[in-house]
Structure formats: C-alpha cells, structure tokens
Amino acid sequence: MVAALLLAIVLAPSAAIVLILLTRRPRWAEGLNLTASAIAFLAALPLPALSLSGRHVYWNRYVILDPFGAWVILCAAIVYLLASIYAVGYMRLLNEEERLPRFYALFAGFGLTTLIGPMMNSAGLYWIAIELTTLVSTFLVAFERAPEAIEAAWKYIIVVSGGISLALLGTVLFYWAGSFVLGPRYDMTWAALRNAAPQMNPALLLLAFLLVLIGYGTKVGLAPMHTWLPDAHSEGPAPVSALLSGALLNTAMVGIVRYLAIIEAAHPGPLPRAALVVLGAFSLFVAAMFIVRQRGIKRLMAYSSVEHMGIMALGFGFGGPLGVAGALYHMINHSLNKSLMFFGAGSMMRSYETKDIGAIRDVGRRFPVIGTLWLAGAVAITGAPPFGLFASEFTILRAGLRGAHVWAAMVMALLLIVIFIAFLNHFRMMYFTPPDSEAAPMRPVSAWCVAPMCLAFVPLLVFGLWWPETIWQYFGAITHELSAGTLMALR
C-alpha cells in the first residue's frame, strides 16, 4: 500500500512532464499538471497515518517513509495542488501561450523534486534531490524574462549553489566520520549515521553539522544566508513563489532536522541546538527590520517567509515535545497561509499592474471576495488568533520559555509584535487609503485564482480553532522518532 502511494507521488508528475513535452498544447499542459498535482495530493493524504506503523524502506533502502517525512510530503503536496489550480488562472494573464507547456513541464518537475526530497533515505541522495530543486526552479524564477527576474535567477543559483556546496562538504565529513566506525564502504542511510554517531569523533561531527546547517540553512532561507530569497520569491510567477515558500523551504528543512537528530545521538553538548536557535532568532530580526520598511508587495511576502522559517528553526532548536510539535504545526499552517498570501499578491499585482505597495489602493472595495480572503490571510500570517499560526507560534514560545534558551523566546515574542504592527500597517494602506485619482478599470480576477485561496483559508482557520488530538499524538511520535528517547506527554 505505502509503496504504491509513493510510486504514484513520483510517477504522476513524471508522466505529466513527458506528456506535456509530447503534446506541447497549453490547455493540455494545464490539465496534465493539475491532474498530476491532484494525484500526488490524494496519494500523500493517507501517508501520515500509514507511517505510524513503523519505518517503511523500499528500493534497496534508497527510499524511506517515516512520520516526519510523511508530514513534509503532505505539506508539499498541498501547496503543489493549490499552486497548480492558481496557475491556470494566473499564467493565462501573461500572454505566453507558446511557452506555457515549457512552464508546466518545469512546474511539474519542481513539484516532483520537492516531493521526493523527504523520501530519500541516503544523505547523499537527499543532497542530490535538493540540488535538483535548485536547477529546476531557477528556470521558473526567470520565466517572465524581465531583467529583474533574470538577475534574481542568477543570484538564486549562485548563492544557493554556494550553500549547497557547503552542505556537500558537511555530508562528506559525516561519511568520513562514519568510516572510522562502519568501515570505508557503507550505506550512508540516516539510521546508519545515527547508530554510529555515539562512536564518531565529536569534533569532526560538530564541524560536519555546522557545515550542513549553513548549507541547508541557505536553502531554507535562514539569515544571514537568506539573500537569494527576497529576489527569487518576488520576481518569479506567483504560483512559483508559493511553491518556493510553502514547499521547497520545508523540504530543505528536512536535512537540518535529520542531521540534528544524528548529532544529538552523540550527545555533543548544547552547541548544535544553540547554533540553530541563534540562526532562527537572527532570521526573525532581519525579517522584522525589512518588513517594517518594505515597499514591494511580493518582497513583503518573501521576508515573511524568512520570518516563519526562523520561527520553525526556533521550534526545532528548542526541541522537546512542544518545540517539535509547534514547528511541525507551523510547517503546515505556513504552507497554507503563505500560498494564500502569494496568490493574493499575484492577483493584485496583475490587476493594478504594479508591485509597489504604495500604488495599490482601495483593495477591499474593488475586490470584495479576494480582498477579504487576502486581508484575513494577512492577519493570520502575523500570528494573530484565531488562525493556525497563532497556535503553532504560541506552542513554540511555550517550548522556549521552558528550555535553556529563554532569551530566544523573549526575542521571538518582541519581534512578532513588531512584525504584527508593520505587516498590517502595509495592508492598512492598501485597503483603507483612497486612490489619488479617479480609479482606473481593474482587470478581473479569475475564479481559478480565487478558489485556491478559499481552499487554503478554510483549514487555516480550522487549525486555529481546533488542534485535533490525533495530530498531537502524531507529533509526539515524530518527537520520539527524532529524539530516540522516551515519549513525553504533550501538555
């Protein structure tokens, strides 16, 4: 059963890529990509429940499904489906009919790479999967061929490739450290590294972990390695921005969390978690400073991604049942919320024909439906109740206040207040400032663009009002898996 579902997740977008390139018809390309995303979502939906029966290893131990990987796959599948729906309406506005098959082939490839990353049971194969996400998404960032988009794509591939090179060096050092325990040739699975970690050289382990933390932290968008993210997220088409923020960053976070579990098995002291906490807190600080003075609508969303990945890093860094549960809950809520926000930003950008926040006015009156959804998403993305991100951020704060990094929890609370005020002030200007002159006719927003915003908003609200007990238990199982310790009761 599990093997068939994983195979469907891989084959659906792969088949879509082949068929799109063979047919080369825009409407066929839309339909094929949308069908592939729906199949991937339906196949990913039962994986968390099925993963609780234990680790599922397939295909010569190259592929694994565990509770943590299943959760990240589900988050990626949700964003892939929502972005594929939105892309139908958004991409038709670009008047690029001849190039649409190429876009959807790349888009399906991007979705595929974000889905297979969490499945990789080998540290080396995981690195390859992350590098593939870079190669595919670079062309999507530059798809609109504006000078800014091309510059952003070059910056993206150069900065991220530099970071991934450091991650490769860290991976090699992990293998080398393992070779003193397991011999010169061994399967570099996550379990093999973790079992051998207590006998590895502690100094070599720490160096290797810091390298992979910086390397994969670059891909995650943690400050100060985040410099590619605002440009890439703001210059790519809106559905690509949603997939970058809501799926790719989570997939890259997998590497950091799995390596953290490996080095924690060696009991190296407080440094690994402290390094992750410092990067998370600094990411929040950088995001807050840029959100306050931001003028570009999609760059505002991009710096919000830096903020939320910093919060997620704090959750995993704090650790324990509350920290891990908060980070995992934050992962799905951020995926839903940021998809909604980029969809709204893309629609407003096309309707007003500008990226400048100062030129977008009277949104609520001109677009009652999408404007209401976008404003509600803006309140949610700041961590305000009654939405899902409030629940996850509050849980992470509780974890920080109970642990050894109380200072980071205090910094997090302060910066979240700053971000709340600054972010909603931008929306106050866009919604409640009258236009300077007679309002020009607005380009209507397609139902294809509104529908995925509704689909993202409903669970975001539900998750804020109701945190199901089954999800608590599931997160407890992941905490136990990552810590290899005694499962503690979540309070």
Side-chain angles (χ1 to χ4, degrees), residues 440-472:
M442 294 285 102
R443 179 181 291 181
V445 178
S446 167
W448 286 103
C449 298
V450 179
M453 294 182 68
C454 295
L455 293 174
F457 176 76
V458 171
L460 187 65
L461 178 60
V462 171
F463 287 155
L465 298 173
W466 176 51
W467 191 332
E469 183 64 25
T470 53
I471 294 185
W472 271 113

PDB file of all heavy atoms in Angstrom, residues 440-472:
ATOM      1  N   ALA A 440      -8.905  53.667 -12.129  1.00  0.00           N
ATOM      2  CA  ALA A 440      -8.906  53.065 -13.461  1.00  0.00           C
ATOM      3  C   ALA A 440      -9.577  51.694 -13.391  1.00  0.00           C
ATOM      4  O   ALA A 440      -9.618  51.068 -12.342  1.00  0.00           O
ATOM      5  CB  ALA A 440      -7.464  52.919 -13.961  1.00  0.00           C
ATOM      6  N   PRO A 441     -10.119  51.227 -14.517  1.00  0.00           N
ATOM      7  CA  PRO A 441     -10.746  49.891 -14.517  1.00  0.00           C
ATOM      8  C   PRO A 441      -9.737  48.822 -14.131  1.00  0.00           C
ATOM      9  O   PRO A 441      -8.592  48.832 -14.586  1.00  0.00           O
ATOM     10  CB  PRO A 441     -11.208  49.734 -15.978  1.00  0.00           C
ATOM     11  CG  PRO A 441     -11.293  51.122 -16.519  1.00  0.00           C
ATOM     12  CD  PRO A 441     -10.228  51.899 -15.813  1.00  0.00           C
ATOM     13  N   MET A 442     -10.168  47.919 -13.266  1.00  0.00           N
ATOM     14  CA  MET A 442      -9.306  46.857 -12.794  1.00  0.00           C
ATOM     15  C   MET A 442      -9.513  45.596 -13.617  1.00  0.00           C
ATOM     16  O   MET A 442     -10.634  45.274 -14.017  1.00  0.00           O
ATOM     17  CB  MET A 442      -9.591  46.541 -11.324  1.00  0.00           C
ATOM     18  CG  MET A 442      -9.257  47.657 -10.368  1.00  0.00           C
ATOM     19  SD  MET A 442      -7.479  47.858 -10.085  1.00  0.00           S
ATOM     20  CE  MET A 442      -7.128  49.265 -11.132  1.00  0.00           C
ATOM     21  N   ARG A 443      -8.421  44.884 -13.868  1.00  0.00           N
ATOM     22  CA  ARG A 443      -8.526  43.596 -14.537  1.00  0.00           C
ATOM     23  C   ARG A 443      -9.200  42.602 -13.600  1.00  0.00           C
ATOM     24  O   ARG A 443      -8.777  42.451 -12.455  1.00  0.00           O
ATOM     25  CB  ARG A 443      -7.136  43.100 -14.922  1.00  0.00           C
ATOM     26  CG  ARG A 443      -7.129  41.743 -15.610  1.00  0.00           C
ATOM     27  CD  ARG A 443      -5.711  41.309 -15.931  1.00  0.00           C
ATOM     28  NE  ARG A 443      -5.120  42.119 -16.972  1.00  0.00           N
ATOM     29  CZ  ARG A 443      -3.877  41.922 -17.442  1.00  0.00           C
ATOM     30  NH1 ARG A 443      -3.127  40.958 -16.933  1.00  0.00           N
ATOM     31  NH2 ARG A 443      -3.403  42.702 -18.384  1.00  0.00           N
ATOM     32  N   PRO A 444     -10.255  41.920 -14.053  1.00  0.00           N
ATOM     33  CA  PRO A 444     -10.946  40.980 -13.153  1.00  0.00           C
ATOM     34  C   PRO A 444     -10.059  39.802 -12.766  1.00  0.00           C
ATOM     35  O   PRO A 444      -9.149  39.421 -13.495  1.00  0.00           O
ATOM     36  CB  PRO A 444     -12.155  40.524 -13.989  1.00  0.00           C
ATOM     37  CG  PRO A 444     -11.739  40.749 -15.418  1.00  0.00           C
ATOM     38  CD  PRO A 444     -10.845  41.958 -15.399  1.00  0.00           C
ATOM     39  N   VAL A 445     -10.350  39.235 -11.606  1.00  0.00           N
ATOM     40  CA  VAL A 445      -9.599  38.091 -11.099  1.00  0.00           C
ATOM     41  C   VAL A 445     -10.364  36.822 -11.415  1.00  0.00           C
ATOM     42  O   VAL A 445     -11.553  36.701 -11.114  1.00  0.00           O
ATOM     43  CB  VAL A 445      -9.361  38.213  -9.585  1.00  0.00           C
ATOM     44  CG1 VAL A 445      -8.620  36.995  -9.058  1.00  0.00           C
ATOM     45  CG2 VAL A 445      -8.587  39.487  -9.274  1.00  0.00           C
ATOM     46  N   SER A 446      -9.681  35.863 -12.024  1.00  0.00           N
ATOM     47  CA  SER A 446     -10.318  34.612 -12.435  1.00  0.00           C
ATOM     48  C   SER A 446     -10.728  33.782 -11.228  1.00  0.00           C
ATOM     49  O   SER A 446     -10.106  33.831 -10.164  1.00  0.00           O
ATOM     50  CB  SER A 446      -9.356  33.822 -13.325  1.00  0.00           C
ATOM     51  OG  SER A 446      -9.799  32.496 -13.499  1.00  0.00           O
ATOM     52  N   ALA A 447     -11.782  32.981 -11.415  1.00  0.00           N
ATOM     53  CA  ALA A 447     -12.207  32.046 -10.364  1.00  0.00           C
ATOM     54  C   ALA A 447     -11.111  31.027 -10.071  1.00  0.00           C
ATOM     55  O   ALA A 447     -11.022  30.506  -8.949  1.00  0.00           O
ATOM     56  CB  ALA A 447     -13.489  31.337 -10.786  1.00  0.00           C
ATOM     57  N   TRP A 448     -10.272  30.734 -11.061  1.00  0.00           N
ATOM     58  CA  TRP A 448      -9.134  29.837 -10.836  1.00  0.00           C
ATOM     59  C   TRP A 448      -8.189  30.413  -9.787  1.00  0.00           C
ATOM     60  O   TRP A 448      -7.498  29.661  -9.087  1.00  0.00           O
ATOM     61  CB  TRP A 448      -8.365  29.612 -12.128  1.00  0.00           C
ATOM     62  CG  TRP A 448      -9.043  28.724 -13.123  1.00  0.00           C
ATOM     63  CD1 TRP A 448      -9.710  29.102 -14.252  1.00  0.00           C
ATOM     64  CD2 TRP A 448      -9.106  27.284 -13.086  1.00  0.00           C
ATOM     65  NE1 TRP A 448     -10.196  28.003 -14.917  1.00  0.00           N
ATOM     66  CE2 TRP A 448      -9.834  26.871 -14.229  1.00  0.00           C
ATOM     67  CE3 TRP A 448      -8.623  26.323 -12.201  1.00  0.00           C
ATOM     68  CZ2 TRP A 448     -10.081  25.528 -14.502  1.00  0.00           C
ATOM     69  CZ3 TRP A 448      -8.861  24.996 -12.470  1.00  0.00           C
ATOM     70  CH2 TRP A 448      -9.582  24.604 -13.597  1.00  0.00           C
ATOM     71  N   CYS A 449      -8.144  31.745  -9.664  1.00  0.00           N
ATOM     72  CA  CYS A 449      -7.262  32.383  -8.689  1.00  0.00           C
ATOM     73  C   CYS A 449      -7.918  32.503  -7.315  1.00  0.00           C
ATOM     74  O   CYS A 449      -7.222  32.495  -6.294  1.00  0.00           O
ATOM     75  CB  CYS A 449      -6.854  33.774  -9.186  1.00  0.00           C
ATOM     76  SG  CYS A 449      -5.909  33.759 -10.734  1.00  0.00           S
ATOM     77  N   VAL A 450      -9.234  32.619  -7.292  1.00  0.00           N
ATOM     78  CA  VAL A 450      -9.943  32.768  -6.017  1.00  0.00           C
ATOM     79  C   VAL A 450     -10.099  31.426  -5.311  1.00  0.00           C
ATOM     80  O   VAL A 450      -9.956  31.329  -4.085  1.00  0.00           O
ATOM     81  CB  VAL A 450     -11.319  33.419  -6.245  1.00  0.00           C
ATOM     82  CG1 VAL A 450     -12.068  33.556  -4.922  1.00  0.00           C
ATOM     83  CG2 VAL A 450     -11.163  34.783  -6.902  1.00  0.00           C
ATOM     84  N   ALA A 451     -10.402  30.364  -6.071  1.00  0.00           N
ATOM     85  CA  ALA A 451     -10.696  29.054  -5.479  1.00  0.00           C
ATOM     86  C   ALA A 451      -9.581  28.530  -4.578  1.00  0.00           C
ATOM     87  O   ALA A 451      -9.848  28.097  -3.439  1.00  0.00           O
ATOM     88  CB  ALA A 451     -11.015  28.049  -6.583  1.00  0.00           C
ATOM     89  N   PRO A 452      -8.302  28.546  -5.008  1.00  0.00           N
ATOM     90  CA  PRO A 452      -7.257  28.025  -4.110  1.00  0.00           C
ATOM     91  C   PRO A 452      -7.063  28.869  -2.860  1.00  0.00           C
ATOM     92  O   PRO A 452      -6.624  28.347  -1.826  1.00  0.00           O
ATOM     93  CB  PRO A 452      -6.004  28.022  -4.984  1.00  0.00           C
ATOM     94  CG  PRO A 452      -6.275  28.995  -6.070  1.00  0.00           C
ATOM     95  CD  PRO A 452      -7.750  28.924  -6.321  1.00  0.00           C
ATOM     96  N   MET A 453      -7.402  30.167  -2.920  1.00  0.00           N
ATOM     97  CA  MET A 453      -7.318  30.989  -1.713  1.00  0.00           C
ATOM     98  C   MET A 453      -8.365  30.536  -0.695  1.00  0.00           C
ATOM     99  O   MET A 453      -8.083  30.454   0.509  1.00  0.00           O
ATOM    100  CB  MET A 453      -7.513  32.469  -2.071  1.00  0.00           C
ATOM    101  CG  MET A 453      -6.411  33.045  -2.937  1.00  0.00           C
ATOM    102  SD  MET A 453      -6.626  34.805  -3.307  1.00  0.00           S
ATOM    103  CE  MET A 453      -6.366  35.546  -1.698  1.00  0.00           C
ATOM    104  N   CYS A 454      -9.566  30.202  -1.172  1.00  0.00           N
ATOM    105  CA  CYS A 454     -10.601  29.674  -0.280  1.00  0.00           C
ATOM    106  C   CYS A 454     -10.172  28.326   0.303  1.00  0.00           C
ATOM    107  O   CYS A 454     -10.344  28.074   1.504  1.00  0.00           O
ATOM    108  CB  CYS A 454     -11.918  29.515  -1.038  1.00  0.00           C
ATOM    109  SG  CYS A 454     -12.651  31.053  -1.599  1.00  0.00           S
ATOM    110  N   LEU A 455      -9.610  27.478  -0.554  1.00  0.00           N
ATOM    111  CA  LEU A 455      -9.191  26.148  -0.108  1.00  0.00           C
ATOM    112  C   LEU A 455      -8.067  26.224   0.918  1.00  0.00           C
ATOM    113  O   LEU A 455      -7.960  25.355   1.789  1.00  0.00           O
ATOM    114  CB  LEU A 455      -8.738  25.315  -1.316  1.00  0.00           C
ATOM    115  CG  LEU A 455      -9.834  24.938  -2.316  1.00  0.00           C
ATOM    116  CD1 LEU A 455      -9.232  24.252  -3.538  1.00  0.00           C
ATOM    117  CD2 LEU A 455     -10.874  24.026  -1.657  1.00  0.00           C
ATOM    118  N   ALA A 456      -7.230  27.248   0.836  1.00  0.00           N
ATOM    119  CA  ALA A 456      -6.158  27.427   1.822  1.00  0.00           C
ATOM    120  C   ALA A 456      -6.684  28.051   3.110  1.00  0.00           C
ATOM    121  O   ALA A 456      -6.235  27.709   4.213  1.00  0.00           O
ATOM    122  CB  ALA A 456      -5.052  28.295   1.238  1.00  0.00           C
ATOM    123  N   PHE A 457      -7.658  28.950   2.979  1.00  0.00           N
ATOM    124  CA  PHE A 457      -8.142  29.691   4.150  1.00  0.00           C
ATOM    125  C   PHE A 457      -8.927  28.809   5.117  1.00  0.00           C
ATOM    126  O   PHE A 457      -8.766  28.927   6.339  1.00  0.00           O
ATOM    127  CB  PHE A 457      -9.011  30.865   3.697  1.00  0.00           C
ATOM    128  CG  PHE A 457      -9.632  31.626   4.837  1.00  0.00           C
ATOM    129  CD1 PHE A 457      -8.873  32.501   5.586  1.00  0.00           C
ATOM    130  CD2 PHE A 457     -10.972  31.439   5.172  1.00  0.00           C
ATOM    131  CE1 PHE A 457      -9.439  33.196   6.653  1.00  0.00           C
ATOM    132  CE2 PHE A 457     -11.533  32.125   6.229  1.00  0.00           C
ATOM    133  CZ  PHE A 457     -10.769  33.010   6.975  1.00  0.00           C
ATOM    134  N   VAL A 458      -9.759  27.928   4.597  1.00  0.00           N
ATOM    135  CA  VAL A 458     -10.638  27.139   5.464  1.00  0.00           C
ATOM    136  C   VAL A 458      -9.847  26.282   6.456  1.00  0.00           C
ATOM    137  O   VAL A 458     -10.075  26.360   7.679  1.00  0.00           O
ATOM    138  CB  VAL A 458     -11.604  26.280   4.630  1.00  0.00           C
ATOM    139  CG1 VAL A 458     -12.373  25.304   5.523  1.00  0.00           C
ATOM    140  CG2 VAL A 458     -12.583  27.163   3.869  1.00  0.00           C
ATOM    141  N   PRO A 459      -8.893  25.438   6.010  1.00  0.00           N
ATOM    142  CA  PRO A 459      -8.135  24.666   7.014  1.00  0.00           C
ATOM    143  C   PRO A 459      -7.276  25.537   7.913  1.00  0.00           C
ATOM    144  O   PRO A 459      -7.035  25.186   9.072  1.00  0.00           O
ATOM    145  CB  PRO A 459      -7.277  23.725   6.166  1.00  0.00           C
ATOM    146  CG  PRO A 459      -7.204  24.351   4.821  1.00  0.00           C
ATOM    147  CD  PRO A 459      -8.495  25.084   4.642  1.00  0.00           C
ATOM    148  N   LEU A 460      -6.815  26.682   7.404  1.00  0.00           N
ATOM    149  CA  LEU A 460      -6.019  27.597   8.232  1.00  0.00           C
ATOM    150  C   LEU A 460      -6.838  28.091   9.422  1.00  0.00           C
ATOM    151  O   LEU A 460      -6.334  28.182  10.548  1.00  0.00           O
ATOM    152  CB  LEU A 460      -5.554  28.774   7.378  1.00  0.00           C
ATOM    153  CG  LEU A 460      -4.585  29.768   8.002  1.00  0.00           C
ATOM    154  CD1 LEU A 460      -3.265  29.097   8.315  1.00  0.00           C
ATOM    155  CD2 LEU A 460      -4.366  30.946   7.056  1.00  0.00           C
ATOM    156  N   LEU A 461      -8.102  28.382   9.183  1.00  0.00           N
ATOM    157  CA  LEU A 461      -8.991  28.801  10.266  1.00  0.00           C
ATOM    158  C   LEU A 461      -9.333  27.630  11.188  1.00  0.00           C
ATOM    159  O   LEU A 461      -9.311  27.767  12.421  1.00  0.00           O
ATOM    160  CB  LEU A 461     -10.267  29.406   9.684  1.00  0.00           C
ATOM    161  CG  LEU A 461     -11.334  29.865  10.680  1.00  0.00           C
ATOM    162  CD1 LEU A 461     -10.778  30.936  11.612  1.00  0.00           C
ATOM    163  CD2 LEU A 461     -12.568  30.382   9.945  1.00  0.00           C
ATOM    164  N   VAL A 462      -9.619  26.474  10.592  1.00  0.00           N
ATOM    165  CA  VAL A 462      -9.973  25.298  11.393  1.00  0.00           C
ATOM    166  C   VAL A 462      -8.825  24.909  12.310  1.00  0.00           C
ATOM    167  O   VAL A 462      -9.023  24.610  13.499  1.00  0.00           O
ATOM    168  CB  VAL A 462     -10.369  24.121  10.476  1.00  0.00           C
ATOM    169  CG1 VAL A 462     -10.513  22.829  11.278  1.00  0.00           C
ATOM    170  CG2 VAL A 462     -11.660  24.430   9.736  1.00  0.00           C
ATOM    171  N   PHE A 463      -7.595  24.918  11.776  1.00  0.00           N
ATOM    172  CA  PHE A 463      -6.436  24.532  12.580  1.00  0.00           C
ATOM    173  C   PHE A 463      -6.173  25.522  13.715  1.00  0.00           C
ATOM    174  O   PHE A 463      -5.507  25.186  14.695  1.00  0.00           O
ATOM    175  CB  PHE A 463      -5.189  24.409  11.708  1.00  0.00           C
ATOM    176  CG  PHE A 463      -5.188  23.192  10.831  1.00  0.00           C
ATOM    177  CD1 PHE A 463      -4.449  23.170   9.654  1.00  0.00           C
ATOM    178  CD2 PHE A 463      -5.914  22.065  11.166  1.00  0.00           C
ATOM    179  CE1 PHE A 463      -4.428  22.048   8.839  1.00  0.00           C
ATOM    180  CE2 PHE A 463      -5.911  20.940  10.360  1.00  0.00           C
ATOM    181  CZ  PHE A 463      -5.169  20.932   9.192  1.00  0.00           C
ATOM    182  N   GLY A 464      -6.658  26.760  13.570  1.00  0.00           N
ATOM    183  CA  GLY A 464      -6.519  27.715  14.657  1.00  0.00           C
ATOM    184  C   GLY A 464      -7.536  27.504  15.759  1.00  0.00           C
ATOM    185  O   GLY A 464      -7.260  27.762  16.935  1.00  0.00           O
ATOM    186  N   LEU A 465      -8.719  27.025  15.384  1.00  0.00           N
ATOM    187  CA  LEU A 465      -9.785  26.821  16.357  1.00  0.00           C
ATOM    188  C   LEU A 465      -9.756  25.436  16.985  1.00  0.00           C
ATOM    189  O   LEU A 465     -10.278  25.241  18.084  1.00  0.00           O
ATOM    190  CB  LEU A 465     -11.147  27.038  15.676  1.00  0.00           C
ATOM    191  CG  LEU A 465     -11.393  28.446  15.113  1.00  0.00           C
ATOM    192  CD1 LEU A 465     -12.698  28.471  14.319  1.00  0.00           C
ATOM    193  CD2 LEU A 465     -11.427  29.477  16.223  1.00  0.00           C
ATOM    194  N   TRP A 466      -9.146  24.477  16.296  1.00  0.00           N
ATOM    195  CA  TRP A 466      -9.202  23.083  16.760  1.00  0.00           C
ATOM    196  C   TRP A 466      -7.920  22.371  16.370  1.00  0.00           C
ATOM    197  O   TRP A 466      -7.614  22.244  15.193  1.00  0.00           O
ATOM    198  CB  TRP A 466     -10.412  22.389  16.134  1.00  0.00           C
ATOM    199  CG  TRP A 466     -10.535  20.932  16.450  1.00  0.00           C
ATOM    200  CD1 TRP A 466     -10.503  20.345  17.668  1.00  0.00           C
ATOM    201  CD2 TRP A 466     -10.708  19.865  15.500  1.00  0.00           C
ATOM    202  NE1 TRP A 466     -10.652  18.979  17.555  1.00  0.00           N
ATOM    203  CE2 TRP A 466     -10.786  18.659  16.228  1.00  0.00           C
ATOM    204  CE3 TRP A 466     -10.822  19.822  14.112  1.00  0.00           C
ATOM    205  CZ2 TRP A 466     -10.949  17.419  15.612  1.00  0.00           C
ATOM    206  CZ3 TRP A 466     -10.990  18.591  13.489  1.00  0.00           C
ATOM    207  CH2 TRP A 466     -11.056  17.413  14.247  1.00  0.00           C
ATOM    208  N   TRP A 467      -7.162  21.977  17.379  1.00  0.00           N
ATOM    209  CA  TRP A 467      -5.947  21.189  17.164  1.00  0.00           C
ATOM    210  C   TRP A 467      -6.290  19.752  17.524  1.00  0.00           C
ATOM    211  O   TRP A 467      -6.324  19.395  18.703  1.00  0.00           O
ATOM    212  CB  TRP A 467      -4.819  21.723  18.040  1.00  0.00           C
ATOM    213  CG  TRP A 467      -3.464  21.173  17.730  1.00  0.00           C
ATOM    214  CD1 TRP A 467      -3.171  19.962  17.196  1.00  0.00           C
ATOM    215  CD2 TRP A 467      -2.211  21.830  17.940  1.00  0.00           C
ATOM    216  NE1 TRP A 467      -1.814  19.804  17.064  1.00  0.00           N
ATOM    217  CE2 TRP A 467      -1.193  20.943  17.515  1.00  0.00           C
ATOM    218  CE3 TRP A 467      -1.840  23.069  18.447  1.00  0.00           C
ATOM    219  CZ2 TRP A 467       0.158  21.255  17.587  1.00  0.00           C
ATOM    220  CZ3 TRP A 467      -0.496  23.381  18.515  1.00  0.00           C
ATOM    221  CH2 TRP A 467       0.497  22.490  18.084  1.00  0.00           C
ATOM    222  N   PRO A 468      -6.554  18.908  16.526  1.00  0.00           N
ATOM    223  CA  PRO A 468      -7.054  17.559  16.821  1.00  0.00           C
ATOM    224  C   PRO A 468      -6.072  16.756  17.671  1.00  0.00           C
ATOM    225  O   PRO A 468      -4.855  16.850  17.511  1.00  0.00           O
ATOM    226  CB  PRO A 468      -7.223  16.928  15.424  1.00  0.00           C
ATOM    227  CG  PRO A 468      -7.301  18.084  14.485  1.00  0.00           C
ATOM    228  CD  PRO A 468      -6.455  19.163  15.081  1.00  0.00           C
ATOM    229  N   GLU A 469      -6.625  15.962  18.559  1.00  0.00           N
ATOM    230  CA  GLU A 469      -5.812  15.124  19.434  1.00  0.00           C
ATOM    231  C   GLU A 469      -4.956  14.152  18.642  1.00  0.00           C
ATOM    232  O   GLU A 469      -3.821  13.840  19.028  1.00  0.00           O
ATOM    233  CB  GLU A 469      -6.716  14.359  20.404  1.00  0.00           C
ATOM    234  CG  GLU A 469      -5.967  13.496  21.415  1.00  0.00           C
ATOM    235  CD  GLU A 469      -5.105  14.314  22.367  1.00  0.00           C
ATOM    236  OE1 GLU A 469      -5.419  15.508  22.589  1.00  0.00           O
ATOM    237  OE2 GLU A 469      -4.117  13.762  22.892  1.00  0.00           O
ATOM    238  N   THR A 470      -5.488  13.676  17.502  1.00  0.00           N
ATOM    239  CA  THR A 470      -4.717  12.735  16.681  1.00  0.00           C
ATOM    240  C   THR A 470      -3.447  13.378  16.141  1.00  0.00           C
ATOM    241  O   THR A 470      -2.410  12.717  16.017  1.00  0.00           O
ATOM    242  CB  THR A 470      -5.566  12.221  15.513  1.00  0.00           C
ATOM    243  OG1 THR A 470      -6.112  13.339  14.789  1.00  0.00           O
ATOM    244  CG2 THR A 470      -6.709  11.358  16.009  1.00  0.00           C
ATOM    245  N   ILE A 471      -3.501  14.685  15.841  1.00  0.00           N
ATOM    246  CA  ILE A 471      -2.302  15.378  15.353  1.00  0.00           C
ATOM    247  C   ILE A 471      -1.298  15.540  16.488  1.00  0.00           C
ATOM    248  O   ILE A 471      -0.084  15.392  16.294  1.00  0.00           O
ATOM    249  CB  ILE A 471      -2.673  16.734  14.725  1.00  0.00           C
ATOM    250  CG1 ILE A 471      -3.496  16.513  13.451  1.00  0.00           C
ATOM    251  CG2 ILE A 471      -1.423  17.543  14.404  1.00  0.00           C
ATOM    252  CD1 ILE A 471      -3.817  17.783  12.693  1.00  0.00           C
ATOM    253  N   TRP A 472      -1.779  15.826  17.713  1.00  0.00           N
ATOM    254  CA  TRP A 472      -0.876  15.870  18.869  1.00  0.00           C
ATOM    255  C   TRP A 472      -0.123  14.544  19.006  1.00  0.00           C
ATOM    256  O   TRP A 472       1.088  14.507  19.212  1.00  0.00           O
ATOM    257  CB  TRP A 472      -1.683  16.108  20.148  1.00  0.00           C
ATOM    258  CG  TRP A 472      -1.903  17.534  20.527  1.00  0.00           C
ATOM    259  CD1 TRP A 472      -3.094  18.190  20.546  1.00  0.00           C
ATOM    260  CD2 TRP A 472      -0.927  18.492  20.965  1.00  0.00           C
ATOM    261  NE1 TRP A 472      -2.920  19.490  20.961  1.00  0.00           N
ATOM    262  CE2 TRP A 472      -1.602  19.700  21.232  1.00  0.00           C
ATOM    263  CE3 TRP A 472       0.456  18.431  21.156  1.00  0.00           C
ATOM    264  CZ2 TRP A 472      -0.946  20.846  21.683  1.00  0.00           C
ATOM    265  CZ3 TRP A 472       1.117  19.572  21.601  1.00  0.00           C
ATOM    266  CH2 TRP A 472       0.421  20.756  21.852  1.00  0.00           C
TER     267      TRP A 472
END
